Amino acid sequence: MSNNTQQHSNEPAPSALALLPLGIFLALFIGVGTYLTMQGVDFAFYQLPAPVAALPAVIAAILLSKEKLNKAIEQFLRGVGHSDIIAMCMIYLLAGAFASVAKATGGVDATVNLGLSMLPASMILPGIFVISAFIATAMGTSMGTIAAVAPVALGIAQTAGMDVALTAGVVLSGAMFGDNLSIISDTTIASTRSQGCQMKDKFRENIRIALPAAIAAILLFLFSSTPTEVPATTDVEWLKVLPYITILVLAVSGLNVFVVLSIGILLAGGIGLFGTPDYSLSTYGQDIYAGFGNMQEIFLLSMLIGGMGELMRRQGGLAYLTQLISKVIRVFSKQHSKAQNLRASELGIAGLVGLTNCCTANNTVAIIVSGGVARELAEENGVTPRRSASLLDIFSCVVQGVLPYGAQALLLGSVFGLSPLEVVSHSYYCFFLAFAAIAAIFIKHPARKLATA
C-alpha cells in the first residue's frame, strides 16, 4: 500500500513543454516529407529515415530534463531497455527472419499459386483479397504481402480485362486486414505490448470487428468481379505452403510468439535445405540475417521512441496529454456516466492514434508514439487492455490504408502504374473497418450493461 502511495506521489506534474521532443520528431518527419513531395521526389515521406528524425528529438528531451546530464541519459537508457521494448525488438527480428527465409525458399510463390489454383472465374477479386489477407496474416507485414501479391494481381487484372485500380485496392485491403489481425504483425506487437495484454486476447477482440468489415468488402468485390478465365497455375507445392499454415495455426492457438516464429524459421529453412538443390546452410544464415536487416529501421525507432517516451513521461508530457484528452472526453460526455466516459475514452484513443498516424505515415510508429498515453487513458476510464490494444491497431491500420502518402499506397501505385490517390480510393475494407469499429463503440458497447444494471 505504501509503495503505491509513494509511486502516485512521484507522478510528474503535467507539462506541455515536455511534449516538445515529440513535436520536433513529427515536424522533421512531416516537414521533410512535405517539402520533398512538393519537389516531386518519389516516396518523399520515406527519404528521411524515421530513426534519424528521432535523434534531434531525443537530444531535445535530454536537454529539457531538470536532472543532471548523466541522470537524464540514464533515464533515457532505462526507457530504451524497458522489457516491453526489448521483447518487441526481439519479435521484430524473428518475424523479419521468418519472412525472409520463407520468401527465399519459395513459400510466398507457392502460397499465391495455391490460392490462384483454387479460384473460380467469378471469384477473382474476392480470391485476391483472401490470398492477400492470408499471406499478410501469416507473414505479419502488409508491405511484404503487397510486394509478393501485387505483380501477380496486376497480371490477373490485365489478363482478365478488369479494373486495375480496383484490383490494387483489393490487394491493399487484404494486406491491411492481415496487418491488423496477424499475431506477428509489428502493429499487433506494439499495441499489445504497449497496453499490457495477451496477443490472443487482442485477436479475439479484434476479429469481432474486423470480420464483418471483411465480409462486407468480399461481397462488394464479388459483385465487382467479371467472370473470366483464370490465368494458368502450376501444381500446388504443399510442402512450401506448410510453414505459413503452421505458424498461422500455432499463433491463433495461443502458443508463445517466440516459439511460433522460431518453429516457422526452422520449418521454412528445413524445407529449403532438403527441397531446394541450391539452398545451403550459408544461404539459410544469410537469409536470416537479411530478415534482421529488414527490421533495422523499426527496431532502432522502437528503442529511440522508448527512451524518448520515458523522458517525456518523467517530465510530465504524457500526464499533460492524458489530462488534455480527459478534458475533451468530459466535454463530450455530457451525462458524465461511466458508459459515456468509457465510450468517449475509446473514441479518444481512436482519434489519438489516427491523428498521429496521419502525421507519421507509419501505423507502427503511431502506436509506439501514442501507446503510453492510450494506456493511461484506458486505465483511468476503465477500458480493458485488450480493447485499447484493438482500437489502437484498428484505427492505425484504417488510417494507414487510406493515406495516399503511405508506403503501401506508394508501392502499389508504382507496381500498377497508378496514382496513390487512385489506389486508396478503392481501399474499401479500410472504410468498412472504420465504420465497424465506430459502430462497435456506439452500438455494442459492453458498458451499456453497466449503465442499465
Side-chain angles (χ1 to χ4, degrees):
M1 194 67 135
S2 60
N3 288 339
N4 291 338
T5 304
Q6 183 180 2
Q7 184 179 359
H8 183 74
S9 63
N10 289 335
E11 285 297 319
S15 170
L17 184 62
L19 294 175
L20 180 61
L22 179 58
I24 291 173
F25 169 63
L26 295 180
L28 276 174
F29 205 59
I30 299 166
V32 172
T34 303
Y35 173 76
L36 293 177
T37 299
M38 295 171 65
Q39 298 297 313
V41 177
D42 293 333
F43 292 84
F45 278 82
Y46 298 89
Q47 296 301 312
L48 175 64
V52 176
L55 286 177
V58 169
I59 294 172
I62 293 174
L63 293 177
L64 283 172
S65 176
K66 295 178 181 179
E67 305 285 350
K68 292 182 179 180
L69 180 60
N70 287 344
K71 181 69 173 178
I73 293 175
E74 183 184 330
Q75 291 174 351
F76 168 76
L77 293 176
R78 190 172 292 117
V80 170
H82 191 279
S83 60
D84 286 346
I85 297 293
I86 297 301
M88 193 186 303
C89 290
M90 291 303 299
I91 295 172
Y92 288 154
L93 292 180
L94 290 174
F98 170 73
S100 178
V101 173
K103 182 175 178 62
T105 54
V108 174
D109 295 335
T111 306
V112 171
N113 179 66
L114 168 64
L116 291 175
S117 66
M118 299 171 66
L119 286 179
S122 61
M123 293 286 290
I124 289 182
L125 288 182
I128 292 174
F129 174 84
V130 171
I131 292 170
S132 300
F134 176 77
I135 293 176
T137 303
M139 290 180 69
T141 165
S142 55
M143 290 295 288
T145 299
I146 290 170
V149 177
V152 178
L154 176 60
I156 293 174
Q158 291 174 335
T159 302
M162 301 172 68
D163 188 334
V164 175
L166 177 58
T167 306
V170 173
V171 175
L172 178 57
S173 294
M176 297 315 296
F177 173 89
D179 195 10
N180 175 218
L181 277 179
S182 176
I183 207 101
I184 61 171
S185 166
D186 48 7
T187 59
T188 295
I189 296 164
S191 61
T192 53
R193 288 287 172 179
S194 67
Q195 302 308 295
C197 77
Q198 296 292 321
M199 290 187 179
K200 61 181 180 180
D201 292 333
K202 178 261 182 187
F203 178 86
R204 290 167 184 161
E205 184 78 24
N206 215 153
I207 192 69
R208 288 200 290 262
I209 298 173
L211 193 58
I215 292 172
I218 288 172
L219 289 175
L220 176 62
F221 298 146
L222 176 63
F223 289 112
S224 302
S225 287
T226 303
T228 185
E229 182 180 353
V230 179
T233 57
T234 58
D235 293 336
V236 176
E237 298 178 279
W238 289 103
L239 189 61
K240 291 183 178 180
V241 179
L242 183 61
Y244 286 102
I245 297 175
T246 301
I247 70 159
L248 183 61
V249 172
L250 291 178
V252 174
S253 70
L255 188 63
N256 183 281
V257 67
F258 289 101
V259 179
V260 171
L261 289 172
S262 297
I263 291 173
I265 293 169
L266 290 172
L267 194 56
I271 289 171
L273 289 170
F274 293 102
T276 307
D278 297 332
Y279 201 76
S280 63
L281 275 173
S282 62
T283 308
Y284 180 34
Q286 290 168 7
D287 287 335
I288 291 175
Y289 190 70
F292 290 168
N294 293 338
M295 292 293 175
Q296 175 181 320
E297 181 172 342
I298 195 65
F299 182 96
L300 293 174
L301 185 62
S302 294
M303 295 176 70
L304 291 172
I305 293 294
M308 187 177 74
E310 175 68 10
L311 286 171
M312 290 188 345
R313 184 190 70 80
R314 287 179 176 270
Q315 295 166 23
L318 298 185
Y320 175 81
L321 261 186
T322 305
Q323 182 185 74
L324 182 65
I325 297 173
S326 296
K327 288 180 180 177
V328 175
I329 288 173
R330 282 191 286 270
V331 170
F332 283 95
S333 300
K334 296 178 181 178
Q335 298 179 7
H336 297 286
S337 67
K338 186 171 183 178
Q340 288 286 345
N341 284 330
L342 198 57
R343 184 177 293 112
S345 64
E346 291 187 354
L347 289 172
I349 291 170
L352 177 65
V353 72
L355 192 58
T356 306
N357 207 137
C358 287
C359 296
T360 61
N362 186 307
N363 48 347
T364 307
V365 174
I367 293 172
I368 293 171
V369 170
S370 58
V373 178
R375 183 169 185 168
E376 290 187 28
L377 189 61
E379 290 174 351
E380 182 181 321
N381 294 281
V383 179
T384 62
R386 61 193 247 173
R387 182 75 163 183
S388 59
S390 177
L391 291 172
L392 278 175
D393 203 341
I394 285 174
F395 282 95
S396 67
C397 285
V398 163
V399 173
Q400 187 68 24
V402 299
L403 279 183
Y405 53 89
Q408 291 81 359
L410 292 171
L411 178 59
L412 277 165
S414 65
V415 172
F416 278 75
L418 299 169
S419 160
L421 281 171
E422 289 183 88
V423 176
V424 299
S425 66
H426 293 86
S427 183
Y428 294 117
Y429 167 72
C430 291
F431 301 139
F432 289 137
L433 181 60
F435 177 81
I438 293 172
I441 292 173
F442 279 98
I443 300 172
K444 295 185 178 181
H445 203 287
R448 290 197 168 191
K449 294 180 181 179
L450 295 174
T452 56

